[in-house]
Amino acid sequence: MENQKNAIKLRRAFEDLGPTFVKLGQIMSKRPDLLPQSYIQELSRLQDKVRPSEFSEMIRSFEGFQCTIGGSGANRNQTTAVDESYINNFFDNFNTKPIASASVAQVYEAVLDGQKVAVKVARPGLIDKINVDLSIINDLKPIIVRVGGFGKNINFDEFLDEFRELLNKELDFRNEARNLKRFHEAFADFDEVRIPAVHEDYCTESVLVMEYMEGKLVKDLPTMDREKRSHYAHLISSSYLKQVYLDGVYHADPHAGNILIQEDGGIAYIDFGAVGIIDDELRRNMLNLFYGIYKKNVDIAFEAFLKVANINKNDINTRKFKLDLDDLIAKQNYSLGERQNDSYANLALKYDLSLPSDFSTLERALVLIEGVCLELDPKFSIIDDARPIITRVMIQRYSPFRAAEYFQLEGDKYLEIFKNLPQGINDVIETIRGYRIEKLEEKSRQIRRDRIMDSAAKYVFVSIILIASAYLATQPETGIANLGIAGFIVALLLFALLFLKNQ
């Protein structure tokens, strides 16, 4: 209950502090590894909606627009002041009333070369304001950490660095243009999945011109029949799983407002300001985790989860963890109409494990996708769409072509190894030979030391006999004196023998 109250206070504080803090709260809401579930739910309510600015103010972002455009058109390279008439030199028609407004940019509808386009325009002076806000956030860091109740494994400074980097990318629309081109290429052969095409010549750091996507939001489809809703749910799910497990790059903010339902049975993804990338190792571990869940194999899922979290099995209660994981597998495979993808973060929080930020960001994105699909089809289960994707990836992973491609890429490395193999073998032989000679010399020295010690001991023993015999030979008693003389003679003979032997 106390956590819920603090979560509400944090959300309201972010709303009062302005757009940058709203954006911070939204990013935090996508990190279930960072905050308890009560905070995640509350910060998810933050809306990135602000009062639209007048076009006379927004038009300042078009400064320098003429520098990137060539070709025909009236006065397209002129350097006159930027105003509405200036904009009309580039577009056949430009509606100055925004169709969408957010903290970073506003989107306008326009016509370019007879084609309907969407024009995303950054808010002027935003970078300076965000830099000030970031300084404030840095000063408020101890308060945010204390109020937020972060886990002990969370590095909040690292999270802020990621937030700054994300904002910088989002403020440069050339990054979004590259993202659009990348996804457009990835779905070029998928007729039912559309990505806006980019008008490259008309894109700058502050202006993005792209194809206008027609469609409706999920919330605007109350009358659609169940079969069609189910079709759209599976199309959204399968296309998103393709992004994650086949392409390794995915839309990082796939909420219902960024996915359009089109009348011909297709869908369109929009707003690619935030994109996630998964490296090969994490993708492999995540796929193994999903494969274990799909196959209902606790051991495979367990080993994959440990690799994702980068921990040793000796660091946790293995038996209890596997029981919880088995429960998660059962929910994933047999539950309907329930969100499942946040279960991984909940499991990590329970055992105080620190998941990679890439994994947590993706998990949050999958939760959003799952929410959209459940809104379309209450009986939706993402595991049904995961099976064919997993099978396809496994076939690709172990295909002869992939093996040949791997060896081709690694060929130079192996060739260099084979070229240096004779020299390497010779080095090993020389090393062994040198080792053997060294050991032989050490053994010889040890034998010499032992011989010297043995000879010295014998000389000492004979010397003792010699001295004792000499002492007895001086005694007045004839018997003892004779024994001493005999012993002395024997000792001398022994000395002579030892000397001759050593020689």
Side-chain angles (χ1 to χ4, degrees):
M1 189 65 181
E2 186 65 28
N3 267 357
Q4 185 64 34
K5 290 180 179 179
N6 288 337
I8 294 172
K9 290 178 182 178
L10 188 63
R11 174 180 62 79
R12 289 175 177 171
F14 282 172
E15 288 175 338
D16 293 338
L17 287 167
T20 308
F21 288 86
V22 170
K23 184 68 67 177
L24 175 65
Q26 290 175 334
I27 299 300
M28 291 168 67
S29 73
K30 299 172 187 176
R31 294 288 301 276
D33 64 313
L34 193 68
L35 292 171
Q37 191 60 30
S38 56
Y39 284 85
I40 296 296
Q41 292 175 349
E42 193 63 35
L43 292 178
S44 296
R45 297 174 57 192
L46 286 169
Q47 297 296 314
D48 192 13
K49 292 182 179 179
V50 296
R51 181 183 60 83
S53 298
E54 294 295 330
F55 189 70
S56 57
E57 179 183 346
M58 296 294 296
I59 204 171
R60 286 191 291 139
S61 293
F62 281 92
E63 292 178 359
F65 193 59
Q66 75 280 358
C67 297
T68 63
I69 304 170
S72 61
N75 300 320
R76 287 198 171 184
N77 290 314
Q78 61 180 335
T79 57
T80 57
V82 177
D83 54 21
E84 287 190 34
S85 61
Y86 174 80
I87 300 302
N88 289 330
N89 288 326
F90 300 98
F91 298 95
D92 302 334
N93 182 45
F94 194 101
N95 187 350
T96 58
K97 183 179 180 180
I99 57 176
S101 177
S103 57
V104 171
Q106 293 184 177
V107 181
Y108 299 88
E109 182 182 324
V111 178
L112 177 64
D113 296 331
Q115 182 184 359
K116 196 173 180 181
V117 294
V119 184
K120 188 174 182 178
V121 184
R123 291 183 178 275
L126 190 61
I127 293 179
D128 294 335
K129 177 175 175 52
I130 284 179
N131 285 333
V132 172
D133 288 343
L134 287 174
S135 299
I136 295 173
I137 290 172
N138 194 61
D139 293 337
L140 292 175
K141 181 175 60 180
I143 299 174
I144 295 174
V145 171
R146 186 169 65 251
V147 174
F150 298 96
K152 67 180 182 180
N153 289 325
I154 300 303
N155 187 332
F156 194 71
D157 290 324
E158 183 178 323
F159 168 73
L160 285 182
D161 289 338
E162 292 177 8
F163 176 60
R164 290 188 187 94
E165 184 178 352
L166 180 66
L167 271 182
N168 288 331
K169 287 183 178 179
E170 194 168 344
L171 289 173
D172 188 346
F173 290 168
R174 291 171 297 187
N175 287 316
E176 185 170 353
R178 285 190 288 270
N179 293 337
L180 283 165
K181 290 176 62 180
R182 188 172 187 175
F183 279 83
H184 196 274
E185 182 181 66
F187 284 97
D189 297 329
F190 290 77
D191 294 335
E192 292 185 311
V193 181
R194 287 78 185 250
I195 310 295
V198 179
H199 294 266
E200 296 182 56
D201 292 339
Y202 295 82
C203 294
T204 69
E205 184 177 349
S206 304
V207 179
L208 174 63
V209 182
M210 54 194 155
E211 180 184 0
Y212 188 94
M213 287 284 113
E214 303 283 357
K216 294 182 179 180
L217 300 178
V218 172
K219 64 181 179 63
D220 298 330
L221 302 173
T223 59
M224 182 177 290
D225 63 73
R226 179 179 172 182
E227 185 177 345
K228 281 189 177 181
R229 296 176 76 92
S230 178
H231 161 76
Y232 284 118
H234 289 292
L235 181 57
I236 291 171
S237 173
S238 59
S239 64
Y240 201 77
L241 291 172
K242 172 193 177 301
Q243 296 175 38
V244 174
Y245 293 111
L246 289 175
D247 303 334
V249 56
Y250 62 94
H251 194 304
D253 194 23
H255 59 73
N258 285 338
I259 303 175
L260 300 178
I261 304 298
Q262 300 183 316
E263 292 184 0
D264 63 354
I267 61 170
Y269 287 95
I270 59 174
D271 192 0
F272 285 82
V275 166
I277 298 175
I278 316 172
D279 62 50
D280 289 340
E281 182 180 0
L282 180 58
R283 190 170 13 151
R284 175 180 288 269
N285 292 334
M286 287 174 53
L287 184 67
N288 290 341
L289 173 61
F290 224 145
Y291 180 77
I293 292 170
Y294 155 54
K295 286 293 187 180
K296 309 178 188 67
N297 189 313
V298 176
D299 291 327
I300 293 176
F302 175 70
E303 294 295 335
F305 201 104
L306 293 185
K307 289 180 180 179
V308 170
N310 193 26
I311 61 167
N312 190 286
K313 63 178 65 177
N314 297 324
D315 297 334
I316 60 173
N317 186 328
T318 302
R319 180 180 174 279
K320 190 175 179 182
F321 189 91
K322 283 188 175 182
L323 288 174
D324 288 335
L325 191 57
D326 183 71
D327 186 53
L328 185 152
I329 291 173
K331 288 179 179 178
Q332 286 277 7
N333 283 278
Y334 303 114
S335 296
L336 289 176
E338 301 177 33
R339 295 193 182 195
Q340 303 298 334
N341 280 292
D342 53 354
S343 302
Y344 309 113
N346 294 335
L347 187 60
L349 284 172
K350 180 176 180 179
Y351 289 88
D352 204 18
L353 305 179
S354 179
L355 296 174
S357 60
D358 293 341
F359 179 86
S360 301
T361 302
L362 172 59
E363 184 180 3
R364 180 58 182 166
L366 287 171
V367 168
L368 291 174
I369 281 290
E370 199 172 34
V372 173
C373 294
L374 284 171
E375 190 173 348
L376 285 165
D377 180 7
K379 293 186 177 181
F380 168 80
S381 174
I382 198 169
I383 199 70
D384 293 334
D385 295 317
R387 289 187 179 101
I389 293 290
I390 292 172
T391 302
R392 184 177 171 185
V393 174
M394 287 298 183
I395 291 173
Q396 286 187 358
R397 179 189 290 183
Y398 300 108
S399 69
F401 175 77
R402 180 60 62 88
E405 184 182 56
Y406 173 80
F407 282 112
Q408 182 180 356
L409 291 173
E410 299 292 319
D412 289 341
K413 183 194 300 183
Y414 292 120
L415 181 61
E416 192 68 24
I417 291 173
F418 284 122
K419 283 172 59 180
N420 295 326
L421 192 59
Q423 182 61 42
I425 293 174
N426 185 62
D427 291 342
V428 171
I429 293 173
E430 290 297 327
T431 301
I432 294 173
R433 182 181 296 165
Y435 176 76
R436 291 179 62 184
I437 291 173
E438 183 181 346
K439 294 297 290 183
L440 183 61
E441 290 177 348
E442 175 64 27
K443 187 67 176 176
S444 299
R445 288 193 293 270
Q446 181 66 37
I447 291 172
R448 285 196 296 270
R449 284 196 296 269
D450 292 343
R451 285 178 177 175
I452 291 171
M453 293 294 294
D454 182 62
S455 297
K458 289 177 180 178
Y459 277 117
V460 169
F461 178 72
V462 173
S463 298
I464 292 172
I465 294 175
L466 190 65
I467 294 170
S469 298
Y471 173 75
L472 293 175
T474 59
Q475 297 300 313
E477 295 182 13
T478 305
I480 295 175
N482 291 335
L483 180 62
I485 293 169
F488 189 82
I489 294 170
V490 171
L492 288 175
L493 290 173
L494 289 173
F495 260 115
L497 288 171
L498 284 173
F499 179 78
L500 290 173
K501 184 178 181 181
N502 288 331
Q503 290 299 313

